[in-house]
Amino acid sequence: MSSCFNGGAGWPEPVVRVQAVSDSCGATIPERYVKAPSERPSSLGGGGGLNNIPVVDMSMPDGEETARAVAAACREWGFFQAVNHGVWRGFFQQPMEVKQRYGNSPATYEGVNFYPRCPQPELTLGVASHSDPGGMTMLLVDDHVRGLQVKNAGHWITVDPVLDAFIVNIGDQIQVLSNAVYKSVEHRVTVSAAEERLSLAFFYNPRSDLPLAPMPELVAPPARPALYPPMTFDEYREHIRRRGLSGKAQLQSQQMATAICGAPPAATASSSSSSSASSLAR
Ligand SMILES: O=C(O)CCC(=O)C(=O)O
Ligand SMILES: [Fe+2]
């Protein structure tokens, strides 16, 4: 039975991916993929009237207005959909050596997520709740299959993908750099009995050997103390990796917080119970 699954604690994410549920699995999914009731897709649904993350038009003539919209989205949601971004046009106009440099950059990591149809989507998740550990993620998703859910004010909001948009989200390292002004927000992926889904993720990560800490201009004690100690991305990933290899990756949540800082954060801005930079809060 378990041979229909190859989902494991996939690196680089401290998440469990259920991405190889083949149709041959029959009508039920293996026990180990059945989530606790509180983690199932139906939990915490139906946010107060909100039904999508912000959409930001990157082609607005007033660059300041665009910057304000992006900043507000990063503060309030940690997520936005960028439309009219011109990324491909700009990219393909670059000289070949620039394009190659992008492609070979160690700072980018590309991941393809495939979510097959699942016979019992209400019991499991394609990707368990997590925040992205790196700097920033850009996602390209199938615009007619939903699945990505973002936590906002304690509710799971299902993202309604806009055609040709990039879904952009803040990772833990930008939360650290911004001293938690910008949020690395929990998200997860549901699966469907009717449709398979594909997404392409580009992870933009910082250099892994330089200590990252809140930017000095965003630290002003006592009102705004530095919320995170300096830590390299390598060190940060090591904490996550060690936790993952303990075979409890699916129980990441509070345990991850404990693994990183010794105790669950007493009071963080979000109601997050998952791995995130908030777990580094002093
Ligand atoms: O497939 C998606 O929409 C999101 C995947 C994701 O969260 C990730 O790869 O980190
Ligand atoms: Fe993610």
Side-chain angles (χ1 to χ4, degrees):
M1 186 59 124
S2 62
S3 65
C4 346
F5 284 77
N6 67 5
W11 184 251
E13 299 285 334
V15 294
V16 175
R17 293 162 191 275
V18 182
Q19 295 188 352
V21 192
S22 80
D23 292 342
S24 62
C25 283
T28 59
I29 60 175
E31 192 66 28
R32 68 192 175 105
Y33 290 97
V34 175
K35 298 278 172 198
S38 64
E39 290 172 40
R40 290 179 193 166
S42 55
S43 68
L44 293 176
L50 295 165
N51 56 10
N52 208 1
I53 56 175
V55 175
V56 179
D57 182 353
M58 306 307 281
S59 70
M60 287 191 283
D62 181 356
E64 299 243 325
E65 198 181 334
T66 312
R68 273 196 300 273
V70 168
C74 295
R75 275 195 311 267
E76 289 154 30
W77 286 82
F79 264 84
F80 61 94
Q81 299 200 59
V83 296
N84 301 323
H85 44 70
V87 166
W88 303 125
R89 198 178 54 244
F91 180 76
F92 289 112
Q93 281 166 358
Q94 300 290 321
M96 183 50 82
E97 62 270 21
V98 174
K99 282 186 279 202
Q100 277 169 348
R101 218 180 308 137
Y102 272 110
N104 295 330
S105 165
T108 61
Y109 168 89
E110 209 181 299
V112 179
N113 301 308
F114 176 63
Y115 308 95
R117 287 189 298 277
C118 172
Q120 294 178 298
E122 68 287 356
L123 296 183
T124 192
L125 290 167
V127 178
S129 173
H130 68 285
S131 63
D132 292 350
M136 188 182 89
T137 307
M138 286 170 64
L139 276 172
L140 280 175
V141 306
D142 191 331
D143 61 275
H144 69 272
V145 188
R146 292 167 166 204
L148 177 61
Q149 295 187 323
V150 174
K151 208 174 209 183
N152 185 263
H155 295 283
W156 286 108
I157 307 297
T158 300
V159 173
D160 212 350
V162 175
L163 180 68
D164 289 337
F166 269 110
I167 296 173
V168 182
N169 70 283
I170 296 301
D172 295 347
Q173 305 310 308
I174 288 187
Q175 177 166 326
V176 169
L177 276 179
S178 72
N179 206 19
V181 172
Y182 292 164
K183 306 293 187 309
S184 171
V185 166
E186 271 180 86
H187 51 287
R188 66 184 189 181
V189 181
T190 59
V191 285
S192 151
E195 287 173 298
E196 53 193 28
R197 178 174 178 272
L198 197 68
S199 76
L200 203 57
F202 301 87
F203 300 102
Y204 293 86
N205 296 335
R207 242 184 78 167
S208 61
D209 56 345
L210 291 179
L212 285 182
M215 292 166 70
E217 52 270 56
L218 297 175
V219 175
R224 292 197 55 80
L227 294 173
Y228 312 102
M231 191 181 273
T232 68
F233 187 44
D234 273 342
E235 290 165 341
Y236 186 78
R237 281 190 293 197
E238 188 51 33
H239 284 294
I240 294 174
R241 196 193 304 262
R242 243 186 267 140
R243 192 67 231 172
L245 287 176
S246 73
K248 303 260 187 191
Q250 67 274 38
L251 297 176
Q252 39 168 331
S253 41
Q254 275 315 123
Q255 295 170 7
M256 185 75 72
T258 311
I260 291 175
C261 66
T268 54
S270 76
S271 59
S272 163
S273 64
S274 202
S275 63
S276 76
S278 58
S279 58
L280 282 174
R282 283 204 259 229

